[in-house]
Amino acid sequence: MTQEAHQRSLAHQLGDLRSLATPSLPSFELIERNIHRVLDRYDAPDKPPERDAERLFSEMLRRIRAHDWHKVPMSFVTRVASLVYAPAHRFRDDLAAIRRFLCAEIRATTRHGFINPMVRIYIESYETGKVHTMELAEALQHSRAKIGARWQPLLENVPELLDARHAPSALAAKMDLMPDPWHGLRALGLHQPHAPGLMDAAHLEFLNIIGPQLGSLDEIERLLGWLKPDDRALRQVGAGKAIEVLLGHWRTRNPPAEIQSLLVDRLTQLYSHPRVNPHPAWNEVDPALVQIFLRWLMGADIRFLFRVLTEVERGHMWADREKFWWTLHEQGRIDEVWIAFNDEGHRAALSKLPTDGRQSGRRFGRQVGERDKSLLVMRIRNKIVIEGTYSFPVHFFRADQPRTPELYRSRYDVADIRKLPNLDEIAHRGDWQSRVLMALSR
């Protein structure tokens, strides 16, 4: 090829240049998910109890006195630190030397392998106004610049984190700005938003902030989402206060039907029925508010019973019975209510509950005798009154009699109930409602 031809060919190729295909950026989503999984696993606050804490304390005290740190792994020191700030040991005077040593080391160290775990221990052992918390916070604040990358995002987002007096309110203020506080705190760098200690205090501060806003359905949903985020564990500490704040907004007035239904369904789903295997949180709630909630629950249960009956027993009209018992409920004459469905009704009722609500606590029992009978069991003043479907008469029993059927049982058998001595039986014929009112007044 001549030089002239070669130049023409080269010019042709240069004129036909194609733009390079730029590869798309790789997705880091999988990497980020794996990072979060590792942090969740190894930042988890629940740890097996140390079986020989006293031996570890003795060894640590010996080494402090002897200044002997030859071949001592950092894991030994952080293990002792976790123990000495645990609830069972953090106020022991005989361990004060260990706590002083740890705070001094925080001020002197440059090792992230020590100072990072101490930040976690500060968060988990936090108690408002307690000496151990104030000392840890001051030492960590002194060494703030030396804290590793693990905690830097959280420190940047919540500068008051190491201010023992203001950290809970600062976190609560951040939470109040978040549509979803649990995930919002994770995004700030707090991988365990339900961890004990500082987050227990922040939880209470958050309740104080959000309390006046709980007339709104969205705000109620936001608080419920904080108590039980997605498929995560339910918040336990401070749960009673949360229930009290949710209910306290309605102490002197009734909520809209949508809000009442939401609170009944979600609180029984999360913390169970206050009278049936109740979560310990209910013991922390003002009894007057528990009674308000039980009244809502009674109304919901009466409506629920007849809704299910209408669905599974289409050949019968229940309108007169529903209207009668609902009127007594609205008049405040029914003190307690419990439902026991027959097999078909029980299946239909379960299908109407959220999937996780079917196991979290019973909302009703079962009637295992005659297959077409479901029961409405009530306490009305000093009487237990049992309404049954189809041909089962309204039965009246004295509440204080030993053999009287109790409310909240998991199983009932109408055959057994028929055999019990009772005060009265009233069949659903003619003006049965007036006869029931007369029996109640006796």
Side-chain angles (χ1 to χ4, degrees):
M1 179 183 295
T2 66
Q3 184 176 357
E4 184 179 348
H6 177 75
Q7 287 174 342
R8 281 199 304 271
S9 175
L10 181 60
H12 176 75
Q13 291 179 43
L14 290 172
D16 193 35
L17 288 175
R18 295 184 178 89
S19 59
L20 292 173
T22 305
S24 59
L25 291 173
S27 170
F28 294 101
E29 183 181 348
L30 180 60
I31 295 172
E32 289 175 356
R33 280 207 306 266
N34 286 335
I35 289 171
H36 281 302
R37 251 197 305 270
V38 171
L39 288 172
D40 287 348
R41 170 66 179 85
Y42 291 101
D43 270 359
D46 295 323
K47 306 174 184 67
E50 175 60 53
R51 293 185 178 180
D52 200 1
E54 298 305 323
R55 182 188 64 79
L56 292 175
F57 292 149
S58 295
E59 177 66 8
M60 185 71 172
L61 287 167
R62 184 191 71 76
R63 290 186 176 275
I64 291 171
R65 295 185 191 108
H67 302 287
D68 175 14
W69 303 105
H70 182 62
K71 293 186 177 181
V72 176
M74 186 61 70
S75 59
F76 169 78
V77 178
T78 56
R79 189 174 167 197
V80 171
S82 291
L83 284 169
V84 83
Y85 284 103
H89 308 296
R90 64 180 60 144
F91 300 114
R92 285 174 54 178
D93 292 337
D94 60 322
L95 302 177
I98 297 178
R99 292 190 291 273
R100 285 195 299 271
F101 171 83
L102 292 169
C103 288
E105 282 300 302
I106 290 170
R107 294 172 183 273
T109 192
T110 58
R111 297 183 64 176
H112 295 161
F114 171 68
I115 201 166
N116 281 357
M118 294 308 299
V119 176
R120 174 184 56 77
I121 289 168
Y122 159 69
I123 290 173
E124 293 180 6
S125 68
Y126 180 97
E127 286 190 72
T128 303
K130 299 300 183 184
V131 171
H132 75 276
T133 294
M134 305 295 285
E135 291 175 346
L136 262 182
E138 289 169 6
L140 289 166
Q141 186 71 273
H142 179 273
S143 297
R144 187 186 187 100
K146 295 183 287 185
I147 295 173
R150 161 69 183 84
W151 294 107
Q152 285 304 323
L154 185 59
L155 288 167
E156 290 169 10
N157 286 303
V158 190
E160 306 90 340
L161 184 74
L162 301 178
D163 179 346
R165 297 185 186 279
H166 300 108
S169 58
L171 280 162
K174 293 283 185 183
M175 293 167 68
D176 189 45
L177 299 175
M178 299 170 178
D180 181 344
W182 196 88
H183 288 93
L185 288 171
R186 300 248 306 170
L188 294 188
L190 186 67
H191 297 292
Q192 297 291 336
H194 280 182
L198 179 56
M199 287 315 303
D200 292 340
H203 166 73
L204 297 178
E205 293 281 352
F206 178 55
L207 294 180
N208 290 334
I209 294 173
I210 200 174
Q213 307 168 37
L214 290 176
S216 157
L217 194 65
D218 289 343
E219 291 298 284
I220 292 170
E221 289 275 22
R222 190 160 72 109
L223 179 51
L224 291 170
W226 162 246
L227 295 174
K228 180 67 172 68
D230 300 338
D231 57 347
R232 304 286 178 161
L234 176 67
R235 169 160 274 281
Q236 306 290 341
V237 178
K241 178 65 174 176
I243 295 172
E244 198 164 77
V245 168
L246 284 162
L247 299 180
H249 203 81
W250 312 105
R251 193 184 289 270
T252 59
R253 60 194 175 107
N254 285 324
E258 188 179 12
I259 287 179
Q260 183 172 310
S261 177
L262 173 68
L263 289 172
V264 165
D265 290 343
R266 291 295 301 281
L267 288 179
T268 51
Q269 175 188 345
L270 298 181
Y271 297 105
S272 191
H273 191 300
R275 294 289 183 264
V276 186
N277 298 325
H279 187 281
W282 286 109
N283 296 327
E284 303 168 15
V285 179
D286 179 352
L289 292 175
V290 176
Q291 287 303 313
I292 288 172
F293 184 75
L294 285 171
R295 179 166 53 80
W296 298 351
L297 192 53
M298 279 191 277
D301 285 348
I302 292 169
R303 291 298 200 204
F304 188 68
L305 168 68
F306 288 102
R307 174 185 165 200
V308 171
L309 292 180
T310 300
E311 179 179 311
V312 301
E313 300 176 2
R314 295 178 180 85
H316 197 285
M317 298 297 289
W318 304 108
D320 59 339
R321 301 192 196 185
E322 181 176 7
K323 181 181 178 181
F324 177 73
W325 296 114
W326 181 256
T327 299
L328 286 189
H329 163 66
E330 286 198 312
Q331 292 173 350
R333 298 181 63 176
I334 302 178
D335 299 296
E336 295 181 82
V337 162
W338 186 242
I339 303 170
F341 285 109
N342 62 18
D343 285 345
E344 187 178 3
H346 192 266
R347 285 192 295 271
L350 279 179
S351 72
K352 299 182 186 307
L353 296 180
T355 303
D356 54 352
R358 297 172 195 176
Q359 303 297 329
S360 59
R362 287 189 291 120
R363 281 286 299 272
F364 39 77
R366 301 183 73 169
Q367 194 290 116
V368 298
E370 299 172 27
R371 59 185 301 177
D372 63 344
K373 299 293 188 296
S374 293
L375 302 175
L376 178 63
V377 185
M378 297 165 279
R379 181 176 68 81
I380 302 178
R381 306 303 182 262
N382 63 344
K383 296 181 177 67
I384 298 297
V385 181
I386 303 180
E387 165 75 282
T389 56
Y390 290 108
S391 59
F392 189 82
V394 183
H395 282 60
F396 297 80
F397 301 90
R398 284 178 57 90
D400 58 358
Q401 289 298 105
R403 297 180 61 194
T404 292
E406 298 174 347
L407 280 83
Y408 312 122
R409 287 184 182 175
S410 60
R411 295 164 68 88
Y412 296 82
D413 188 329
V414 293
D416 294 338
I417 294 172
R418 291 182 194 277
K419 296 173 186 175
L420 295 173
N422 59 58
L423 297 172
D424 208 343
E425 293 180 24
I426 297 176
H428 298 88
R429 291 193 294 268
D431 186 12
W432 62 270
Q433 295 93 332
S434 294
R435 297 197 298 277
V436 167
L437 292 174
M438 287 291 293
L440 290 175
S441 65
R442 288 199 284 269

